[in-house]
Amino acid sequence: MTTRALSKEEILSQRRAFLGPSLSLSYEEPLLILRGQGQYLYDEAGNRYLDVVNNVCHVGHSHPRVVAALAEQAALLNTNTRYLHPAIVRYAEKLLATLPAPLEVCFFVCSGSEANELALRLARTYTGGLDTIVIVGAYHGNTAALIDISPYKHNGPGGRGAPPWVHAAPMPDPYRGPYKGYGRETGAQYAAGVGALLETIQAGDRALAGMIAEPVLGCGGQIVLPDGYLAEAFARVRAAGGVCIADEVQVGFGRVGSHFWGFETQGVVPDIVTMGKPIGNGHPLAAVATTRDIADAFANGMEYFNTFGGNPVSCAVGLAVLDVIEEEQLQENARRVGAYLLDGLRGLMDRHPLIGDVRGLGLFIGVELVDDRETLEPAAAEASWIVERMKEAGILLSIDGPLHNVLKLKPPIVFTAEDADFLVGALDNVLAEQADHRAGREL
Ligand code: PMP
């Protein structure tokens, strides 16, 4: 193997030669990123990019405290969980302390997909049912069972649709959906869609396991749920004998600012909570928290073992991440800077008709682009153009939503007000350029 630095072209051609082609790259001209620090990434020439899209390196890229915790524990010991070790119980106690009762038991796994996969097994074992309610546009992970519960994938290119045990509830989208606004009435109207699915399940020869939902919809297009939606939907699911799973893989750990967990913004307590991405700041760590009853029902003789889950290195990393969030008051930072950024972005709406909606909680924000504010015609091509131009301005964004027209903003939560100013200023310029570009194109 060569030891000299590989050029971008060489890496690209070797990726094509050695890696499965289903793996994609960001940007028309892919970036070679060699270093990260805080909210910034650096390419091979030392150019700095503001990372507005990476919700994994939650407390900042290469946070020294997290790196030190990882290195110190890796130098000492890394084994599976079949020996006693203090790190796993310390970490479990600290993680569970962030959750309301009766969420008091946890399992450690290695990815958001493993967490959701386990959540499905817990729900099925506890209820004896199989049928699962999901939300249209949702993504919950990459395994076979999770593609089955992810309309984002099974209804997309290469997908084979939903199996009969999966039931998709209408997306509770207060901007684009049939019921508008964030009030309780809208929440109840969308939750009635969950009620209709429950009736179908109960009328057929089927048995309910439960419902899984993100407390703020990520792949669905950075959608903030209307008030009361989860409370009403979860009440209906429980009344039908199902359990309620909150997928906090994208939104948990203080990102929403007002609360530590996304589900708290909806005033509910789920039966199962799944966590991933930010939990290990980039280290492959994930977790599931649940009630004592559900965990006990799952202990039915079949052991749950996960070779890497809960190892001492992962637990040391997880603990360091929780310590940093607390000591650097990053939840409060997400609240304060997120509100400031939302204001700044909303301020652009007067000058730029392309922005149809700006929404978000804390540092989880979506900017939906439309060609027409009346018809809501999605501006997908414009969104791609803007993301490319923002990259040239040194800012990394990406696109989400079923119509590919939502700019998603979910930076490391060490993001500052200065970063927000830089972002809003650059977006203002790029939107103005985009308007000129469009006018030129249409002449
Ligand atoms: N749930 C949600 C909401 C996600 O966004 C993702 C990843 N994008 C997953 C689960 C799966 O996580 P992982 O890629 O770590 O398996």
Side-chain angles (χ1 to χ4, degrees), residues 137-427:
Y139 176 66
H140 295 293
N142 58 32
T143 68
L146 298 176
I147 297 299
D148 279 347
I149 63 158
S150 297
Y152 179 79
K153 288 285 184 190
H154 65 231
N155 287 338
R160 294 187 190 170
W165 56 273
V166 173
H167 311 269
M171 195 191 289
D173 177 351
Y175 175 65
R176 190 173 277 281
Y179 312 113
K180 313 285 182 201
Y182 291 89
R184 290 197 84 82
E185 199 184 316
T186 310
Q189 282 167 320
Y190 283 114
V194 172
L197 293 177
L198 290 166
E199 279 169 27
T200 314
I201 295 167
Q202 285 170 326
D205 186 19
R206 314 209 59 93
L208 180 68
M211 173 173 181
I212 180 165
E214 286 182 276
V216 190
L217 311 184
C219 291
Q222 307 287 105
I223 288 170
V224 177
L225 299 176
D227 286 347
Y229 172 75
L230 281 186
E232 177 77 22
F234 280 9
R236 287 172 181 263
V237 168
R238 284 177 175 142
V243 300
C244 302
I245 306 168
D247 179 339
E248 291 274 351
V249 168
Q250 288 218 29
V251 294
F253 292 90
R255 173 168 298 279
V256 298
S258 58
H259 299 82
F260 197 80
W261 298 107
F263 65 77
E264 293 173 294
T265 65
Q266 282 275 305
V268 295
V269 179
D271 305 299
I272 301 173
V273 176
T274 60
M275 314 162 198
K277 293 184 189 281
I279 189 175
N281 214 47
H283 181 79
L285 167 63
V288 179
T290 190
T291 65
R292 169 58 61 197
D293 279 356
I294 292 177
D296 284 351
F298 191 62
N300 61 1
M302 183 192 287
E303 185 189 9
Y304 182 79
F305 178 64
N306 190 311
T307 301
F308 301 123
N311 70 69
V313 172
S314 296
C315 291
V317 167
L319 262 171
V321 170
L322 289 178
D323 285 344
V324 171
I325 295 172
E326 198 175 301
E327 284 165 27
E328 295 184 14
Q329 299 179 3
L330 294 182
Q331 180 184 324
E332 170 56 17
N333 188 65
R335 192 192 62 73
R336 199 170 33 79
V337 178
Y340 180 72
L341 178 55
L342 265 180
D343 268 0
L345 292 166
R346 288 194 173 123
L348 296 179
M349 291 183 77
D350 295 341
R351 282 196 296 291
H352 303 290
L354 195 67
I355 303 181
D357 191 34
V358 176
R359 56 192 175 238
L361 295 177
L363 283 169
F364 195 84
I365 294 174
V367 178
E368 179 151 357
L369 304 181
V370 293
D371 276 328
D372 182 321
R373 283 185 181 169
E374 292 301 313
T375 65
L376 308 189
E377 184 63 25
E382 290 84 347
S384 299
W385 191 90
I386 287 166
V387 166
E388 292 288 341
R389 283 293 294 119
M390 289 293 281
K391 177 194 123 186
E392 288 163 33
I395 297 172
L396 306 182
L397 293 175
S398 72
I399 297 171
D400 229 325
L403 304 170
H404 314 290
N405 66 329
V406 180
L407 302 178
K408 67 173 164 190
L409 285 65
K410 42 180 191 167
I413 63 169
V414 290
F415 208 69
T416 64
E418 293 71 42
D419 295 326
D421 288 340
F422 177 50
L423 167 65
V424 171
L427 191 58

Side-chain angles (χ1 to χ4, degrees), residues 8-28:
K8 273 172 99 156
E9 290 66 31
E10 285 169 319
I11 296 174
L12 203 55
S13 82
Q14 293 189 14
R15 271 177 72 110
R16 288 201 190 104
F18 303 144
L19 305 181
S22 51
L23 198 59
S24 71
L25 279 163
S26 300
Y27 300 114
E28 282 164 15

